[in-house]
Amino acid sequence: MPAPDDGERLAGALSALGVRPGDALLVHASLRSVGPVAGGPHAVLAALRRAVGREGTVVVPSFTPENSDTSPHYRARVRGLDAGAREAVRSSMPPFDPALTPAPSMGALAEAVRTAVGARRSGHPQTSFAALGPRAAELLAGHRPDCHLGEDSPLARLYEADATILLLGTGFDTCTAFHLGEYRRPGPPLRRYRCVVAPRGVRQWWEYEDVALDDGDFAALGAAFEESAGPGDVMTALIGAAPCRRVRLRAAVDFATEWLTDHRQSGS
């Protein structure tokens, strides 16, 4: 990798991977895997913005499982606690505020995007996205609060925009776009979700039904996609210490829809 303080050369490495000016770029990043970069996540964000240019938009997941009692994050947090301690955890959960609620489980780059001047964030209380660039408002518009990652989410807008995915030091197991394939397969199973919100400033629990999200087979799905991908659908390179991929989002979602239909039983 070029000298970590050379943002222009880092942007060049991203361009060599296939990131192009004008891209709508959905980024999943593990900066720990990439290795030290002088200037940290803000320098990486600057390099990403240089790679996509003035007309490009950088998008990241800014999910918030911390304010839900139906999330794996909550179950791990309260494992082994008695009923009183679990209730204390629930009572301490702050409601989602798109302007203020952090997304600590999404990583340092996602937080750099979320907190950047001019950034936008979608309004879903569990699976919001943050974006920076001229198409941010368009790509994040209309994120319905009872639709995590389906047709009324930014993933569908990114699909329509022929967006690009950047897996920067992460694998296909983190590829959020595959979830859109879960919605598009016939008869996806549903489940109940619950989280803390504050409409009109009043804290309350909100429960809703949506597709049962499951990323347990995404690594296998990604391997199958990469093996059969068409020309230009997946490009790979080493950036820093990390293998990275540039992926065409439409191709990934279309493959995921078929693969999940074939490999998951109906209703599961």
Side-chain angles (χ1 to χ4, degrees), residues 232-259:
D233 286 347
V234 181
M235 295 180 65
T236 62
L238 194 68
I239 296 181
C244 301
R245 295 176 176 87
R246 194 279 292 151
V247 179
R248 287 188 60 239
L249 186 143
R250 280 184 184 172
V253 171
D254 290 346
F255 184 89
T257 302
E258 293 188 14
W259 192 92

Side-chain angles (χ1 to χ4, degrees), residues 175-189:
C175 185
T176 300
F178 284 158
H179 286 296
L180 186 55
E182 289 187 297
Y183 283 77
R184 292 184 173 181
R185 72 186 184 106

Side-chain angles (χ1 to χ4, degrees), residues 11 35 41-42 65 90 132 136 152 168 176 216-217 220 237 242 244:
H42 295 285
R90 292 179 79 254
L132 193 60
D152 293 298
L168 188 63
T176 300
D217 52 3
C244 301

Side-chain angles (χ1 to χ4, degrees), residues 38-237:
H42 295 285
V44 176
L45 175 56
L48 288 165
R49 298 202 71 190
R50 185 176 290 122
V52 300
R54 291 184 178 182
E55 301 304 314
T57 299
V58 176
V59 184
V60 294
S62 53
F63 299 170
T64 50
E66 296 82 8
N67 75 326
S68 169
D69 67 352
T70 55
S71 69
H73 180 278
Y74 171 80
R75 291 194 293 273
R77 185 178 177 186
V78 302
R79 187 173 294 120
L81 299 183
D82 61 27
R86 288 196 301 272
E87 183 55 35
V89 170
R90 292 179 79 254
S91 298
S92 70
M93 289 179 178
F96 176 73
D97 181 335
L100 299 174
T101 302
S105 59
M106 295 294 101
L109 179 66
E111 280 293 89
V113 174
R114 183 188 70 82
T115 58
V117 174
R120 300 291 190 104
R121 191 181 195 181
S122 69
H124 196 286
Q126 288 288 274
T127 55
S128 65
F129 289 77
L132 193 60
R135 302 185 68 182
E138 167 198 345
L139 294 170
L140 303 188
H143 194 176
R144 212 177 70 213
D146 59 351
C147 180
H148 285 116
L149 300 168
E151 303 303 332
D152 293 298
S153 81
L155 285 183
R157 307 293 78 77
L158 288 162
Y159 183 95
E160 293 164 359
D162 198 15
T164 298
I165 301 166
L166 176 63
L167 300 176
L168 188 63
T170 67
F172 279 111
D173 57 318
T174 69
C175 185
T176 300
F178 284 158
H179 286 296
L180 186 55
E182 289 187 297
Y183 283 77
R184 292 184 173 181
R185 72 186 184 106
L190 305 176
R191 56 162 286 197
R192 305 295 295 180
Y193 295 88
R194 189 169 48 248
C195 61
V196 186
V197 295
R200 296 176 295 280
V202 179
R203 182 184 186 276
Q204 64 185 59
W205 285 92
W206 180 55
E207 186 169 339
Y208 58 99
E209 185 177 67
D210 196 11
V211 167
L213 301 174
D214 179 7
D215 60 8
D217 52 3
F218 279 11
L221 164 55
F225 168 60
E226 191 165 35
E227 183 176 350
S228 63
D233 286 347
V234 181
M235 295 180 65
T236 62

